[in-house]
Amino acid sequence: MTLAEAADSQNTPLETVPRNATSTEAICARILERHRDRVSVRKPHLATANLARIIEAVLKLSSRQSFHEMSLRDLARVSGLSMGGLYSYFDNKNTLLVMILTEVSETVGAVLRDAPAGLDADPAAHLRWLIDTHIRLTEAMQPWFVFAFMEAKGFPAAARAFATESELATERIFADVLARGVAQGVFTVPDIDLTAALIKPLLQDWYVKRAKYRKRGTPIHAYVAGVIAFVERAIART
Amino acid sequence: MTLAEAADSQNTPLETVPRNATSTEAICARILERHRDRVSVRKPHLATANLARIIEAVLKLSSRQSFHEMSLRDLARVSGLSMGGLYSYFDNKNTLLVMILTEVSETVGAVLRDAPAGLDADPAAHLRWLIDTHIRLTEAMQPWFVFAFMEAKGFPAAARAFATESELATERIFADVLARGVAQGVFTVPDIDLTAALIKPLLQDWYVKRAKYRKRGTPIHAYVAGVIAFVERAIART
DNA sequence: AAAAAATTCGAGCGCTCGCTCGTTTTTTGG
DNA sequence: CCAAAAAACGAGCGAGCGCTCGAATTTTTT
């Protein structure tokens, strides 16, 4: 099952995350564009397909051990390429880290900033949309987000700074909506920045502790509804 | 600065976590007791002191890279022991993982179950105590908790199962208090298990994203107060 | 169908890893 | 103060690492 299919099978009619943005192939096409100079294979279809196989293998192997424990021989075996073949798609192992992190950061920013028109006028609806979209995006790209979350520590300094900034940008999107809700008198929030910071881990828990919720049989719509209810009661006008 | 000193400097008069339980020396004395058969040095004082130096070095090195990237030569240099000397304190590198994980799991369970007498009768106060105590404990033992959280994936299967069970046990403590509050009519909680699951990441964010809160200048008492306020409004009787 | 270009291959290189063990140093007890 | 016991030492081992490069294979062009 591909990532996109996994997303589809969980999606409700309220789906807000377009499949064409989250399929492994689509993501790898974007990665390829962004790192064309590191990939020596010139034919785009071939390069995209093989890069997808490589990165899917990285995400699979890194879910059981850390990225640095994964050897390139493991990666060659699981991806189906040879040792030498791998190096046509990246110049060194660390580039794989950077490719994945960068794409996750860019994607989450792009998706969350693309709210349906008119939603700015209704902070409560906008907040619900943000929560729903964030959780569904991380569900559709779960291995990517887990990887970025768990391996961020080992990134080169520049990439780590970029990831941190991306995190803060997401938080700011939530803080803005909270501020607008307070201004319109629909929310009561004593500390907007702290509240935005507290909403974040509620969204992340769905992918960080995915195994727990799967074992428990919690469907995604129940989790989304639970988080929305929890947050809305916590910030409801008093 | 030792872990205990770091805890002290943040503690308010409301402090609920005893220093003697969270100093590196005290923790390592307990580790030594639990793994006496793996440590060949017989003199307890010497063994505790050196084990403390070793584990402090592990936590320090693993905060910048992953545990598996940390070489035993790095560990020897930072801890001040020789390569051979290290192996008087553990039989292989993985044992270090298990020592730290086990002690974190045991400690959090022991501390959270040791609530002051009479608190069972007052679910709201008990919940506040649990939140306060959990956050302060993880503050006092921050490197330990970060390590257990980030490296859990790489544990041997048995140790990972143990860690998962410990996680669930903590969640059950919160679920019990929520259930008692609902029974007494002081809380309104539609889904007790999901709510308990959502409180957990709010507590964990303080140590997982410690750098963010430090940079932002959020003091621990403000974070504790923020979480308590957020949770109490979310579950307040309607 | 042959020549040229693009892509894939995998044994081998230098290196560092976890771990060992014979030796040296420190501590202990009479 | 010395011999025995305990502890610490660190060079060295085989294994596996990231990475390379000339050869082999596949695809494209003519």
Side-chain angles (χ1 to χ4, degrees):
Chain A
M1 185 158 71
T2 69
L3 289 174
E5 283 161 7
D8 277 354
S9 72
Q10 295 277 354
N11 280 333
T12 69
L14 292 169
E15 188 218 338
T16 53
V17 180
R19 174 197 165 114
N20 66 350
T22 59
S23 77
T24 307
E25 293 272 328
I27 300 166
C28 288
R30 275 180 274 142
I31 291 180
L32 191 62
E33 226 171 304
R34 222 186 289 279
H35 298 92
R36 212 186 281 279
D37 50 324
R38 314 250 197 175
V39 179
S40 73
V41 175
R42 304 310 331 156
K43 300 172 66 182
H45 272 79
L46 187 61
T48 303
N50 277 337
L51 195 59
R53 290 163 69 195
I54 292 169
I55 289 186
E56 229 160 49
V58 170
L59 296 175
K60 179 178 180 179
L61 289 165
S62 297
S63 71
R64 311 202 174 275
Q65 5 170 225
S66 79
F67 176 76
H68 275 91
E69 282 175 90
M70 173 200 76
S71 78
L72 291 179
R73 283 163 185 84
D74 289 340
L75 183 56
R77 187 173 36 77
V78 174
S79 70
L81 275 79
S82 67
M83 282 292 294
L86 291 177
Y87 277 81
S88 302
Y89 296 93
F90 52 83
D91 47 6
N92 65 69
K93 196 185 174 188
N94 244 307
T95 298
L96 280 170
L97 270 177
V98 174
M99 282 177 168
I100 296 174
L101 167 71
T102 307
E103 211 50 45
V104 169
S105 297
E106 292 288 339
T107 301
V108 68
V111 169
L112 289 189
R113 258 181 282 274
D114 193 32
L119 222 47
D120 332 346
D122 184 348
H126 196 170
L127 181 62
R128 282 194 297 273
W129 180 88
L130 282 175
I131 293 172
D132 181 76
T133 303
H134 193 288
I135 295 172
R136 288 181 192 282
L137 173 63
T138 60
E139 169 74 8
M141 291 176 60
Q142 201 243 350
W144 299 76
F145 278 88
V146 173
F147 183 91
F149 186 90
M150 299 302 284
E151 307 289 349
K153 178 170 62 172
F155 283 127
R160 207 171 51 242
F162 178 73
T164 302
E165 176 46 41
S166 164
E167 266 268 328
L168 291 180
T170 306
E171 222 172 287
R172 235 174 282 127
I173 293 175
F174 279 88
D176 285 349
V177 174
L178 291 176
R180 260 184 286 123
V182 170
Q184 294 190 15
V186 294
F187 298 155
T188 299
V189 183
D191 184 336
I192 287 178
D193 287 338
L194 181 55
T195 302
L198 292 180
I199 292 174
K200 200 83 204 301
L202 296 177
L203 309 178
Q204 292 179 320
D205 214 50
W206 178 252
Y207 66 84
V208 172
K209 314 232 182 90
R210 192 69 187 82
K212 182 178 81 179
Y213 292 109
R214 192 175 291 122
K215 190 175 300 175
R216 211 173 272 188
T218 308
I220 187 170
H221 60 82
Y223 186 81
V224 170
V227 171
I228 288 176
F230 192 77
V231 171
E232 285 195 325
R233 293 192 58 190
I235 65 172
R237 181 176 52 176
T238 47
Chain B
M1 184 156 75
T2 69
L3 290 175
E5 284 161 6
D8 277 354
S9 72
Q10 295 277 355
N11 279 333
T12 69
L14 292 169
E15 186 218 340
T16 52
V17 180
R19 176 198 164 113
N20 65 350
T22 58
S23 77
T24 307
E25 293 273 328
I27 300 166
C28 289
R30 274 180 274 144
I31 291 179
L32 190 63
E33 226 170 305
R34 223 185 291 278
H35 297 93
R36 211 185 283 278
D37 50 325
R38 314 250 198 174
V39 180
S40 72
V41 175
R42 302 313 329 159
K43 300 174 65 185
H45 272 80
L46 186 62
T48 302
N50 277 337
L51 195 59
R53 290 163 69 195
I54 291 170
I55 290 187
E56 230 160 48
V58 169
L59 297 176
K60 180 178 180 178
L61 288 165
S62 297
S63 71
R64 312 204 173 274
Q65 4 170 225
S66 80
F67 175 76
H68 275 91
E69 283 174 270
M70 174 200 77
S71 77
L72 291 178
R73 284 162 184 85
D74 289 341
L75 183 57
R77 187 174 36 77
V78 173
S79 69
L81 275 79
S82 66
M83 284 290 294
L86 291 178
Y87 277 81
S88 302
Y89 295 93
F90 52 83
D91 47 7
N92 65 71
K93 196 184 173 189
N94 243 308
T95 298
L96 280 170
L97 269 178
V98 174
M99 282 176 168
I100 296 174
L101 167 71
T102 307
E103 210 50 45
V104 168
S105 297
E106 292 288 341
T107 301
V108 68
V111 168
L112 288 189
R113 257 181 282 275
D114 193 34
L119 223 47
D120 333 346
D122 184 348
H126 196 170
L127 182 61
R128 282 194 296 272
W129 181 87
L130 282 175
I131 292 172
D132 181 77
T133 303
H134 193 289
I135 295 173
R136 289 180 191 282
L137 173 64
T138 60
E139 169 74 8
M141 289 176 59
Q142 201 242 349
W144 298 76
F145 278 88
V146 173
F147 183 91
F149 186 91
M150 298 301 285
E151 308 290 348
K153 176 172 62 173
F155 284 126
R160 208 171 50 243
F162 179 73
T164 302
E165 176 45 43
S166 165
E167 266 268 327
L168 291 180
T170 306
E171 223 172 286
R172 234 174 284 127
I173 293 175
F174 278 89
D176 286 348
V177 174
L178 290 176
R180 261 184 285 123
V182 170
Q184 295 189 14
V186 293
F187 298 156
T188 300
V189 183
D191 183 336
I192 287 178
D193 287 338
L194 181 56
T195 302
L198 291 181
I199 292 174
K200 201 81 204 302
L202 296 178
L203 309 178
Q204 292 179 321
D205 214 50
W206 178 251
Y207 66 85
V208 172
K209 313 230 183 90
R210 193 68 187 83
K212 182 179 79 178
Y213 292 110
R214 194 176 289 121
K215 191 177 299 176
R216 210 173 272 188
T218 307
I220 188 169
H221 61 83
Y223 187 82
V224 170
V227 172
I228 289 176
F230 192 77
V231 172
E232 286 195 327
R233 292 192 58 191
I235 65 173
R237 180 175 53 177
T238 48

